[in-house]
Amino acid sequence: MAYREGPQTRRLLHRAFDLGDAEAFFRLNSDQEVMKFTGEPLLSSLKQASEAIECYTDFERYGFGRWACVEKQSGRVIGFSGLKYLPDLDEVDVGYRLMPEFWGRGFATEACAACLEFGFRTLQLKEIIAMVIPANAASIGVVRKCGMRCEGEVSYEGIPVLRFVKTNSSPSVGGAAV
Ligand SMILES: CC(C)(COP(=O)(O)OP(=O)(O)OC[C@H]1O[C@@H](n2cnc3c(N)ncnc32)[C@H](O)[C@@H]1OP(=O)(O)O)[C@@H](O)C(=O)NCCC(=O)NCCS
């Protein structure tokens, strides 16, 4: 099963990106301030953004992925949030990235909490991690507010990051483990 639609919250819905989102995806991933603590290179063209959307296979491969994060009221794509399977670690990572005009309004916390809940309830994951560059105070605020516990600093892809973890403490309904 591929969950191309993710959780809904009071203000947000989650769905897979499509080519109509290329411009929003480009603006997000070419903004220096947004990308500062992500450890990823900036996109340099709309074409790159379209290719990234077209080549994204996580939903087909793993059943879940990073979703477009859409503000329900305006219908605008305000960024992404979602779950990512990391084959090198055999772990699932929660992540989020929003356009600066939407920062500071609790959107990332709302999105992250909903993605964690989706991972535990729907996907029946046992554990979800987050990796945050230590200087990224806003992101540390998000994971802490979502109840993730810091396990200390590790190196990931050559970058020192804080590793946060949340385990599925709720009783599993139906008992099916993924
Ligand atoms: C990280 C990011 C998603 C946070 O989004 P946001 O919607 O502004 O976060 P929230 O409003 O939910 O804030 C969560 C908490 O962090 C705190 N926080 C937010 N920005 C902060 C900042 N710049 N410095 C310190 N704390 C901050 C808030 O105080 C809030 O706690 P509070 O509600 O008790 O005040 C956003 O800054 C972003 O997209 N950054 C660029 C991409 C990125 O770094 N992604 C994460 C990679 S690990």
Side-chain angles (χ1 to χ4, degrees), residues 2 8 12 19 21 32 35 49 51 58 70 77 83 88 94 96-97 100 110-111 127 130 132 135-136 138 148 158 172:
Q8 287 207 28
L12 301 170
L19 280 177
D21 303 315
Q32 283 198 16
M35 300 301 283
E51 283 169 2
D58 280 25
V70 180
V77 173
L83 301 166
D88 50 343
V94 65
Y96 34 78
R97 189 177 296 176
E110 193 170 317
E127 186 176 278
V132 184
N136 194 349
M148 299 189 82
S172 100

Side-chain angles (χ1 to χ4, degrees), residues 36-78:
K36 189 171 168 191
F37 297 123
T38 64
E40 286 178 24
L42 274 66
L43 291 185
S44 55
S45 69
L46 191 57
K47 186 165 171 275
Q48 273 187 343
S50 301
E51 283 169 2
I53 292 171
E54 272 185 322
C55 296
Y56 192 72
T57 56
D58 280 25
F59 291 104
E60 288 70 35
R61 287 169 107 173
Y62 309 121
F64 56 87
R66 302 285 204 224
W67 294 286
C69 184
V70 180
E71 187 192 25
K72 284 181 183 174
Q73 196 186 17
S74 63
R76 277 187 67 183
V77 173
I78 68 167

Side-chain angles (χ1 to χ4, degrees), residues 78-89:
I78 68 167
F80 76 62
S81 47
L83 301 166
K84 181 179 183 179
Y85 177 66
L86 303 174
D88 50 343
L89 301 182

Side-chain angles (χ1 to χ4, degrees), residues 115-132:
C115 291
L116 289 167
E117 177 86 355
F118 185 93
F120 292 137
R121 289 266 175 107
T122 305
L123 301 174
Q124 290 284 304
L125 299 171
K126 291 194 173 67
E127 186 176 278
I128 299 174
I129 66 162
M131 288 185 285
V132 184

Side-chain angles (χ1 to χ4, degrees), residues 28 33-38 94-100 102-110 131-133 136-142 145:
L28 180 72
E33 227 197 321
V34 172
M35 300 301 283
K36 189 171 168 191
F37 297 123
T38 64
V94 65
Y96 34 78
R97 189 177 296 176
L98 304 182
M99 293 301 297
F102 293 96
W103 293 358
R105 291 157 60 185
F107 280 122
T109 302
E110 193 170 317
M131 288 185 285
V132 184
I133 290 176
N136 194 349
S139 187
I140 291 171
V142 173
K145 285 195 85 174

